């Protein structure tokens, strides 16, 4: 794992000291809220519906046990004993008190973490494939490049006041688990004809009010050119982005209005200049960072214990079938720990759960942890012979829900239970859907299905790219939920289509059930997934299930 | 024709804790919606908002929210304001926690 050097350390400590002063001056009245607000946001501190909220970056979703334990300590000491993992690989603490925040930031700095650039019109936390460094389909670990981008973008003097926030996602696999097509810049590692690794560069994707799938501006960018190329994109955006209108300020609008070809031309032109300015220091730095990400010494050991358990124990088998993914090393697996127990708040983990995960990572996982954009936690490197022990420990802590990729593995933003911008709640809707399908005992029958919920048009819950998306709205003072179908967050990304009028709070769960029952009826065979069926038969049967007179009766 | 004025309360968040608070008729900040001053006159509402906004060392983000008279004092109208009176749905945190003590 990357360790801070003296510069990083001093930088983060100075920031904490500055912010302590700013908080003190806000409390004693020498700073007004108007003066203080931008300063607190620069340090990840928001004011939400019922309390302050501190957003802490987890760069490219990577943690170790030391960091996880510190997050647990913070949750216990200064919050209410839990934290919320988000779709942007951040953790949010929902209840800090203003005067405690400097101490929290200082505790984070002790473990090389911070909340810098988790708000504002700058380059936000660079996100990455949560299976980075472990996935069987990976070309290269994308995290060294993500770390390079983090260092380059942190306090970059030119890019602190962009027209709007800027999000970069990166994957080292051709299979996209980082939603690269819905980011301002998405980087997907591919090989050229000579077999050399490089990046497909995607620009202008995004969700929110105007959802768009990004355009490929470069099919193959050699790895060594990445930083000057990204800098060229940022610099064109900084110059031409629409500062006159907040709703049109994202780079997706610039790409849309200017056209992909013209943007690509401008970027290439600027790239010629930026490349000349990068004298190779970035490559020297990258080489240094790469050493810090050297893979752990994988064990060679028999997997008989795993095979025996798998055969004998149906509960273990169900969990292994849904929550494990193929690892690049012989005898290893990637474990996804579901933070979606039926009826729980998606993405929340208690301090005890965080500590247990830290212990498991330390004893059985080469001390590596990842946070996924799907709001789950991952132990990327686990030898299969350790899986029975891990499963037993997770079961005791309520963390062994076998539902990864299924209908109850829901992404949900905080919605109006926490968020000041929300137009409706998302958390209770997610909780009720998960509980309903648990009661029906249908979710394994349904198979892979991505359900995503946002509490407003900002789309923090990624509803546009959910196979089933739910958007909470305010219709004349009551909560109303709009459904989209057919979204896809992978390399075949697509924005979902609205089905029609929305549903009231007490109608939304039955409506989702009708969609799912329609799928079970029209799928050609059990192996045909929801998305495949939808693509084959179109929206007709689902709209009928939702809106036809007969279908409108509560399916319960 | 001008629409009838919907009564209001002044609400904000407490500076130190972030808690939702309401302005009372005797110029205090309370955590309880029913203790708020129910403002039935538009011009008076503006004055109260100016008063609240000036309390920069105590609260942040003061605004006027629709309310109606109830048996126990003012009640919120919009569901957002209802949620603000009680805290999140998923845990008994915030006001619910305090009320349960
Ligand atoms: C609670 C405080 C939050 C605030 C104030 C907030 C604000 C916003 C806003 C204003 C946008 C729209 C940006 C635009 O289109 O220009 C947005 C988008 C987004 N936010 Fe949040 N958000 C919050 C929480 C979260 C959380 C908890 C998550 C993850 C669960 C998240 C992840 C995202 C994502 C993924 C998008 C859409 C991607 C895109 O902009 O293209 N945000 N947020
Ligand atoms: S989608 Fe809306 S409600 Fe949900 S976290 Fe984002 S801003 Fe808040």
């Amino acid at each position: 794992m990357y360790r801070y050097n003296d510069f990083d350390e001093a930088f983060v400590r100075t920031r904490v000291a500055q912010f302590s002063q700013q908080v003190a001056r806000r409390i004693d009245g020498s700073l007004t809220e108007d003066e203080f607000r931008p300063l607190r946001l620069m340090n990840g501190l928001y004011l939400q519906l019922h309390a302050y909220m501190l957003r802490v970056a987890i760069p490219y979703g990577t943690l170790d046990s030391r960091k996880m334990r510190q997050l647990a300590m913070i949750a216990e000491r200064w919050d209410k004993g839990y934290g919320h993992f988000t779709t942007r690989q951040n953790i949010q603490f929902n209840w800090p008190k203003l005067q405690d925040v400097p101490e929290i930031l200082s505790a984070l700095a002790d473990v090389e973490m911070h909340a810098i650039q988790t708000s504002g019109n700058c380059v936000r936390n660079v996100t990455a494939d949560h299976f980075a460094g472990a996935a069987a389909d990976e070309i290269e670990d994308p995290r060294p490049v993500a770390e390079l981008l983090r260092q380059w973008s942190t306090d970059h003097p030119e890019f602190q006041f962009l027209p709007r926030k800027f999000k970069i996602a990166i994957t080292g696999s051709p299979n996209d688990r980082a939603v690269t097509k819905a980011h301002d810049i998405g980087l997907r590692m591919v090989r050229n004809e000579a077999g050399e690794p490089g990046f497909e560069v995607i620009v202008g994707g995004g969700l929110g009010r105007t959802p768009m799938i990004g355009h490929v501006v470069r099919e193959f960018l050699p790895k060594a050119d990445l930083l000057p190329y990204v800098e060229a994109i940022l610099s064109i955006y900084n110059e031409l982005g629409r500062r006159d209108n907040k709703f049109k300020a994202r780079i997706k609008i610039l790409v849309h209005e200017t056209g992909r070809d013209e943007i690509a031309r401008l970027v290439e032109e600027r790239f010629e200049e930026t490349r000349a300015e990068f004298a190779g220091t970035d490559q020297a730095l990258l080489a240094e960072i790469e050493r810090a990400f050297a893979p752990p010494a994988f064990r060679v050991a028999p997997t008989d214990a795993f095979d025996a358990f798998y055969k004998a124990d149906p509960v273990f088998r169900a969990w292994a079938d849904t929550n494990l993914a193929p690892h690049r090393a012989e005898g290893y697996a990637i474990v996804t720990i579901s933070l979606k127990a039926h009826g729980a708040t998606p993405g929340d983990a208690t301090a005890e759960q965080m500590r247990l995960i830290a212990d498991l990572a330390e004893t059985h996982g080469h001390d590596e942890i990842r946070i996924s954009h799907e709001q789950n936690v991952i132990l990327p490197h686990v030898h299969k012979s350790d899986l029975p022990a891990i499963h037993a420990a997770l079961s005791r802590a309520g963390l062994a829900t076998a539902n990864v990729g299924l209908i109850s593995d829901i992404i949900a933003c905080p919605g109006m239970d926490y968020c000041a911008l929300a137009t409706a709640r998302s958390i209770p809707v997610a909780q009720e859907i998960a509980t309903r399908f648990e009661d029906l005992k249908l979710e394994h029958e349904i198979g892979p299905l991505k359900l995503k919920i946002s509490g407003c048009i900002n789309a923090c819950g990624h509803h546009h790219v959910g196979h089933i998306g739910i958007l909470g709205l305010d219709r004349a003072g009551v909560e109303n939920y709009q459904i989209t179908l057919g979204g896809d967050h992978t390399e075949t990304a697509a924005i979902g289509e609205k089905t029609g009028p929305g549903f009231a709070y007490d109608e939304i769960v039955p409506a989702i059930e009708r969609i799912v029952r329609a799928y079970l009826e029209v799928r050609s065979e059990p192996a045909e997934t929801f998305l495949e069926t939808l693509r084959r038969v179109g929206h007709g049967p689902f709209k009928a299930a939702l809106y036809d007179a007969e279908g409108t009766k509560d399916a319960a | 024709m001008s629409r009838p004025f919907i009564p209001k309360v002044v609400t904000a968040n407490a500076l130190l804790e972030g808690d939702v608070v309401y302005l009372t008729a005797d110029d205090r900040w309370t955590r309880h919606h029913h203790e708020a001053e129910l403002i039935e006159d538009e011009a008076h509402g503006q004055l109260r908002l100016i008063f609240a906004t000036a309390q920069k060392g105590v609260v942040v983000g003061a605004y006027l929210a629709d309310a109606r008279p109830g048996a126990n004092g003012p009640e919120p109208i919009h569901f957002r304001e209802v949620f603000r009176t009680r805290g999140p749905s998923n845990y008994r945190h915030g006001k619910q926690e305090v009320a349960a003590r």
Side-chain angles (χ1 to χ4, degrees):
Chain A
M1 179 166 306
Y2 177 77
R3 301 298 307 256
Y4 278 9
N5 59 28
D6 294 348
F7 175 84
D8 299 324
E9 171 76 18
F11 174 81
V12 171
R13 295 284 175 193
T14 309
R15 255 310 187 73
V16 174
Q18 280 170 352
F19 190 57
S20 302
Q21 294 293 316
Q22 290 159 355
V23 169
R25 285 160 63 212
R26 174 67 182 100
I27 292 174
D28 77 17
S30 28
L31 281 178
T32 65
E33 185 63 18
D34 286 349
E35 290 160 338
F36 179 63
R37 190 171 170 274
L39 302 172
R40 73 165 151 77
L41 288 172
M42 279 173 73
N43 292 282
L45 186 63
Y46 289 73
L47 184 58
Q48 291 293 76
L49 209 56
H50 311 291
Y52 287 96
M53 179 273 280
L54 182 68
R55 181 183 289 162
V56 177
I58 302 172
Y60 33 90
T62 293
L63 289 171
D64 58 12
S65 58
R66 186 176 69 123
K67 290 181 168 149
M68 191 64 130
R69 287 198 186 104
Q70 192 77 339
L71 295 177
M73 187 279 280
I74 289 169
E76 225 151 50
R77 178 144 170 216
W78 291 292
D79 208 89
K80 292 187 190 276
Y82 74 101
H84 178 72
F85 291 103
T86 80
T87 48
R88 300 221 66 261
Q89 297 178 321
N90 295 312
I91 183 169
Q92 298 189 168
F93 292 108
N94 281 318
W95 305 93
K97 304 264 181 284
L98 179 58
Q99 69 264 33
D100 294 337
V101 175
E103 265 188 280
I104 302 177
L105 294 178
S106 173
L108 287 168
D110 291 344
V111 295
E112 303 172 29
M113 294 183 79
H114 61 72
I116 296 166
Q117 291 188 197
T118 57
S119 175
N121 294 336
C122 51
V123 177
R124 301 288 188 91
N125 188 29
V126 176
T127 54
D129 180 356
H130 42 261
F131 292 166
D137 59 0
E138 183 171 272
I139 296 172
E140 265 180 35
D141 187 343
R143 292 174 304 156
V145 170
E147 173 60 26
L148 181 69
L149 288 166
R150 184 187 75 87
Q151 294 192 15
W152 158 84
S153 65
T154 303
D155 248 20
H156 192 302
E158 200 182 327
F159 303 139
Q160 294 308 298
F161 298 97
L162 294 165
R164 199 75 180 81
K165 58 162 110 170
F166 203 88
K167 301 175 179 176
I168 304 177
I170 177 164
T171 165
S173 300
N175 296 316
D176 182 7
R177 286 174 290 264
V179 208
T180 57
K181 291 198 170 174
H183 280 77
D184 296 292
I185 296 180
L187 301 167
R188 247 179 91 218
M189 194 166 255
V190 289
R191 286 190 196 277
N192 66 5
E193 276 158 20
E196 298 149 344
F199 288 101
E200 178 185 81
V201 183
I202 302 157
V203 174
L207 303 174
R209 180 177 303 263
T210 320
M212 284 180 182
I213 297 300
H215 296 272
V216 176
V217 291
R218 198 35 131 80
E219 268 160 29
F220 185 82
L221 183 75
K223 240 182 90 181
D225 287 337
L226 189 81
L227 207 48
Y229 198 85
V230 168
E231 179 148 325
I233 297 171
L234 260 299
S235 135
I236 293 290
Y237 168 58
N238 203 18
E239 207 171 292
L240 304 179
R242 296 271 309 256
R243 284 191 157 84
D244 59 314
N245 181 340
K246 192 181 167 201
F247 299 126
K248 296 190 172 182
R250 299 288 295 265
I251 195 174
K252 62 189 172 189
I253 306 293
L254 180 68
V255 174
H256 183 73
E257 288 184 349
T258 314
R260 179 241 160 241
D261 293 353
E262 178 62 6
I263 287 291
R265 193 188 65 76
L266 290 168
V267 168
E268 291 292 335
E269 204 176 86
R270 181 66 48 92
F271 170 55
E272 288 308 318
E273 298 161 24
T274 48
R275 181 157 60 176
E277 287 161 16
F278 277 78
T281 39
D282 58 320
Q283 289 308 296
L285 183 57
L286 181 62
E288 207 175 292
I289 296 170
E290 270 167 352
R291 276 194 293 280
F293 284 97
F298 293 122
R299 263 190 300 143
V300 179
T303 59
D304 312 357
F306 169 80
D307 301 332
F309 250 82
Y310 187 85
K311 245 187 239 141
D313 182 346
V315 175
F316 177 74
R317 185 160 62 239
W319 175 79
D321 286 345
T322 47
N323 294 32
L324 300 183
H327 197 281
R328 63 206 295 174
E330 181 75 26
Y332 272 76
I334 302 171
V335 176
T336 299
I337 300 170
S338 168
L339 294 183
K340 318 287 179 63
H342 300 99
T345 302
D348 279 7
T350 64
E352 298 91 80
Q353 290 177 328
M354 289 185 223
R355 273 193 208 104
L356 173 78
I357 293 169
D359 292 348
L360 292 176
E362 207 171 37
T363 47
H364 303 296
H366 298 277
D367 205 13
E368 292 241 18
I369 302 166
R370 312 266 197 275
I371 306 303
S372 77
H373 80 267
E374 299 180 290
Q375 302 179 291
N376 289 320
V377 182
I378 283 118
L379 299 176
H381 308 303
V382 175
H383 193 273
K384 284 186 172 175
S385 58
D386 291 331
L387 287 168
I390 288 184
H391 180 256
L394 290 175
S395 298
R396 286 191 293 274
L399 284 171
T401 313
N403 66 344
V404 170
L406 303 182
I407 194 168
S408 63
D409 184 9
I410 298 170
I411 290 182
C413 79
M416 208 185 275
D417 286 307
Y418 296 90
C419 183
L421 303 177
T423 43
R425 287 173 299 173
S426 351
I427 291 169
V429 175
Q431 290 173 311
E432 282 173 34
I433 292 173
T435 315
R436 170 74 64 104
F437 284 94
E438 165 76 348
D439 291 348
L440 294 172
K441 297 282 166 242
L442 270 181
E443 68 172 332
H444 287 267
E445 170 75 23
I446 298 162
L449 198 160
K450 301 282 182 190
L451 202 147
K452 311 189 193 222
I453 309 176
S454 306
C456 83
I457 193 70
N458 287 325
C460 303
H462 289 193
H463 67 277
H464 292 115
V465 289
H467 301 166
I468 300 177
I470 301 177
L471 164 62
L473 295 169
D474 175 346
R475 285 273 177 269
V478 290
E479 288 168 294
N480 187 276
Y481 294 87
Q482 195 171 67
I483 298 175
T484 52
L485 292 179
D488 174 0
H489 70 283
T490 69
E491 61 282 357
T492 47
I495 302 292
E497 237 177 80
K498 277 178 220 158
T499 54
F503 293 85
Y505 183 85
D506 56 0
E507 291 171 351
I508 183 68
V509 181
I512 298 301
E513 188 182 331
R514 290 202 298 280
I515 292 175
V516 170
R517 289 197 185 275
Y519 154 68
L520 292 175
E521 221 150 85
V522 299
R523 69 181 178 188
S524 61
E525 47 160 351
E528 190 183 48
T529 64
F530 177 81
L531 193 61
E532 287 162 356
T533 303
L534 183 75
R535 284 180 175 164
R536 177 173 59 81
V537 303
H539 290 226
F542 301 101
K543 284 191 186 167
L546 280 177
Y547 299 108
D548 283 0
E550 205 183 16
T552 316
K553 281 188 213 117
D554 192 330
Chain B
M1 211 179 80
S2 69
R3 275 183 286 148
F5 177 72
I6 300 172
K8 305 274 190 280
V9 295
V10 176
T11 179
N13 290 81
L15 170 68
L16 294 180
E17 301 86 7
D19 293 2
V20 174
V21 292
Y22 305 93
L23 185 61
T24 64
D26 58 352
D27 297 348
R28 286 178 301 113
W29 289 98
T30 173
R31 261 71 177 162
H32 306 293
H33 193 282
H34 67 267
E35 292 176 5
E37 174 186 11
L38 188 69
I39 300 164
E40 313 220 34
D41 172 81
E42 191 158 7
H44 181 59
Q46 289 309 318
L47 284 176
R48 297 302 281 159
L49 183 59
I50 290 167
F51 172 81
T53 311
Q55 306 222 337
K56 295 185 193 338
V58 187
V59 297
V60 292
Y63 63 94
L64 293 165
D66 291 352
R68 64 177 156 236
N72 250 329
E75 290 170 0
I77 294 177
H78 193 275
F79 64 91
R80 181 179 195 272
E81 295 305 322
V82 175
F83 298 156
R84 288 180 80 242
T85 65
R86 63 168 198 231
S89 335
N90 58 339
Y91 306 114
R92 296 189 61 78
H93 282 166
K95 304 209 159 192
Q96 302 162 100
E97 195 171 41
V98 176
R101 263 186 216 147

